[in-house]
Amino acid sequence: GWYGHQTGFTLEAKEVGGRPPRPGSRLATMQAGAPNSHPSAFAAYLRNAGHFRSTGRYTPFIYSGQYYNNNRGVFQWSGHQLNVLKGGITSVYPTTSYIARHSFAYMNMFINGRWVAQSRGPKQTRTWGNIVLPYFYKSNSRINIKMRAHNNYFAHIAGGQWATMSASWLPATDGEVYSGWLTNAHHFSRSSYGGLRTLSFSNTRQNSNGGVFQKVGSAIKVKRAGTITVAASVGVITQRCSYVYLRLEINNRAVSYTLTPRQHQQWGQLNTHFHMRVPANAYVRVKARPLCVKHMANGGMAHLNIRWTKDSVSDAISAHLTNRHVFTTSSRSTNRLMQWRSRIQSSKGWLTLLSNGQLRANRDGLLDVQFNYDVIARTSYNWAGLYVNNRRVKLFMAPRNVRNWAQVWAAHSVYVRRGNTVDLRTNPYTISALDNGIWSTMSAQLTIR
């Protein structure tokens, strides 16, 4: 038999005799609570999409449709904001699908009432776009996070799984955070230089530990071994090229490419996001090609965030897409799993990529996962569903850009039990072209306690 007992914010489940729950059993996979000192996760749907159909107001995004919270001692939605009730490291991933009223739409993020970042999405031609805004922050006490925008910029916003916020929390002793705003946009705007240049995020907004992060020229040096999560978001207007891209390098090795297509002189947003276990004194650089950039934004529209987690409690894995042919040679309208081949193996064995494309956790812990792939859509947009234990929890999309590439970006945080799985699925009928390799990547971090 099974029994459960609650202690504070902890719901512990054990089999009689002291053995742990069987992997995959209902009790093992239930979204149980965790002590306040344990890594924690939160996820919710947008509930006020209709408020953006009117005009003339500065409107909050109300992600009050909570569907996951494994620790109510850490996360609490109240009114227009997400409250993080304990000091620590908070990573937040808000997304929304939209139709813009004007040349672009946007989201602003505020932490404790202070504006920290903005992300933009261009107006599409009679179809939907997607805005994402990942951000990391370390605090010694409770904080609140708000997402806001002026509704004049939106014709429609989707609700439910199309507009979500997920967040993760780590104890302050488990890691550190660096965040900076871009300062050298002038090296990219209206330049004819055809090579790659490094973006310099020199306007430091937070460096929680100078013994971990050091600014070295245009790079960020990570001085201690551990697992890093890198998230960069840059506002651009594209020229000359059909798209502009970011190249993320760790120790002079390209680990990911992400892009945004040319949008008729309108602002778009480049987003890159990656998890990787690194040795001491690793260098992080984000590069772009000035030739393809008409305008690039400095400040809060172009920001870099790096979260470092100490090596003793974390592991990471990354992989490239391998089954493009399944989606580009078929017109089937049933969803198929995207399959990934490991490029940087999980060195501790805490995470495993299965042959069917699913990522399996081999330890209990906090899982932060991201997927991105570039695509040319056959229909008005291509969409992908993110699944946890074969249950869809989020939807992401990229619009059709008439023979031009676009990017699907997906991220999620969830507290998993040993044997739990995460995967990404999409529909071949909506795809005209798709890339394998470094243009389509997944990466994940598992943090234990």
Side-chain angles (χ1 to χ4, degrees):
W2 298 85
Y3 70 91
H5 67 273
Q6 187 167 351
T7 306
F9 292 100
T10 306
L11 179 61
E12 297 178 343
K14 297 182 180 179
E15 189 175 2
V16 173
R19 293 187 299 276
R22 295 183 300 273
S25 70
R26 185 174 180 180
L27 194 56
T29 58
M30 67 189 298
Q31 295 174 352
N36 286 352
S37 61
H38 280 210
S40 305
F42 167 91
Y45 301 133
L46 185 71
R47 283 299 178 95
N48 69 326
H51 292 179
F52 290 87
R53 293 173 186 165
S54 59
T55 58
R57 292 183 299 171
Y58 200 55
T59 304
F61 292 80
I62 301 177
Y63 294 97
S64 60
Q66 179 177 294
Y67 65 92
Y68 185 86
N69 186 354
N70 79 311
N71 197 340
R72 297 179 189 274
V74 171
F75 289 113
Q76 176 195 76
W77 186 273
S78 176
H80 299 164
Q81 66 191 32
L82 176 64
N83 295 320
V84 184
L85 304 177
K86 290 178 64 69
I89 300 171
T90 303
S91 305
V92 61
Y93 306 102
T95 70
T96 189
S97 298
Y98 70 93
I99 296 177
R101 190 185 303 273
H102 300 299
S103 59
F104 65 89
Y106 72 94
M107 298 174 70
N108 281 330
M109 181 182 292
F110 297 81
I111 297 179
N112 288 343
R114 180 171 64 93
W115 179 69
V116 296
Q118 182 182 108
S119 184
R120 294 183 175 184
K123 184 177 183 179
Q124 310 293 335
T125 305
R126 296 184 299 278
T127 191
W128 294 85
N130 206 46
I131 301 175
V132 301
L133 182 50
Y135 203 84
F136 313 143
Y137 188 77
K138 184 172 183 178
S139 66
N140 294 321
S141 58
R142 60 183 292 163
I143 61 172
N144 64 73
I145 301 170
K146 297 179 182 178
M147 307 301 303
R148 301 179 70 185
H150 203 288
N151 55 14
N152 281 359
Y153 286 81
F154 295 91
H156 296 285
I157 281 184
Q161 294 185 357
W162 292 102
T164 64
M165 174 188 282
S166 64
S168 65
W169 178 89
L170 299 175
T173 55
D174 282 358
E176 306 293 345
V177 168
Y178 176 89
S179 62
W181 286 355
L182 187 68
T183 57
N184 69 333
H186 59 281
H187 290 164
F188 296 84
S189 300
R190 298 182 181 276
S191 171
S192 59
Y193 179 64
L196 289 170
R197 281 183 178 153
T198 304
L199 286 77
S200 181
F201 298 91
S202 298
N203 185 350
T204 302
R205 311 305 293 177
Q206 183 178 38
N207 184 352
S208 64
N209 190 336
V212 173
F213 298 110
Q214 179 185 355
K215 188 79 170 59
V216 180
S218 296
I220 304 297
K221 182 180 180 180
V222 182
K223 299 162 74 173
R224 293 176 60 184
T227 300
I228 60 172
T229 299
V230 182
S233 185
V234 181
V236 292
I237 297 177
T238 308
Q239 68 174 2
R240 298 189 183 98
C241 312
S242 57
Y243 58 83
V244 62
Y245 65 87
L246 288 182
R247 172 185 165 112
L248 175 62
E249 293 182 1
I250 299 176
N251 280 341
N252 298 314
R253 175 188 182 186
V255 296
S256 179
Y257 285 87
T258 53
L259 62 83
T260 188
R262 188 175 182 178
Q263 295 286 354
H264 307 292
Q265 311 304 313
Q266 298 170 16
W267 285 98
Q269 200 82 15
L270 286 160
N271 293 285
T272 188
H273 184 204
F274 203 78
H275 305 277
M276 185 174 173
R277 193 162 173 249
V278 297
N281 300 317
Y283 285 83
V284 177
R285 294 179 176 89
V286 181
K287 296 183 177 181
R289 190 180 179 208
L291 179 68
C292 300
V293 177
K294 181 176 182 180
H295 294 294
M296 182 178 286
N298 279 328
M301 273 186 60
H303 42 89
L304 171 70
N305 285 258
I306 305 175
R307 182 187 68 189
W308 171 86
T309 310
K310 63 185 182 182
D311 196 53
S312 60
V313 299
S314 63
D315 197 12
I317 192 170
S318 68
H320 294 166
L321 185 70
T322 59
N323 67 333
R324 170 184 65 181
H325 63 281
V326 170
F327 302 95
T328 57
T329 60
S330 171
S331 60
R332 292 178 57 181
S333 59
T334 54
N335 298 336
R336 302 291 298 274
L337 273 80
M338 307 190 84
Q339 295 180 4
W340 315 86
R341 178 173 297 166
S342 180
R343 184 167 187 255
I344 302 169
Q345 279 285 357
S346 173
S347 55
K348 298 179 182 179
W350 296 0
L351 295 165
T352 300
L353 276 168
L354 305 179
S355 59
N356 66 351
Q358 291 184 316
L359 175 69
R360 185 184 67 202
N362 299 323
R363 296 281 300 269
D364 295 1
L366 174 68
L367 180 68
D368 290 296
V369 62
Q370 70 80 216
F371 301 89
N372 68 266
Y373 62 89
D374 62 345
V375 63
I376 299 177
R378 176 184 287 121
T379 52
S380 58
Y381 57 85
N382 165 248
W383 60 269
L386 195 152
Y387 289 73
V388 178
N389 291 333
N390 294 308
R391 172 177 172 252
R392 195 181 70 196
V393 296
K394 286 186 174 184
L395 286 163
F396 304 87
M397 53 82 63
R400 184 182 183 189
N401 281 287
V402 190
R403 296 184 299 280
N404 194 8
W405 294 96
Q407 196 92 34
V408 173
W409 182 96
H412 190 56
S413 298
V414 62
Y415 195 90
V416 294
R417 302 299 188 187
R418 181 167 58 96
N420 287 180
T421 60
V422 176
D423 62 76
L424 195 70
R425 307 178 193 186
T426 189
N427 193 316
Y429 180 75
T430 66
I431 294 175
S432 176
L434 180 68
D435 262 348
N436 282 336
I438 200 168
W439 287 93
S440 301
T441 63
M442 69 78 59
S443 62
Q445 173 179 331
L446 185 69
T447 308
I448 67 169
R449 188 67 174 175

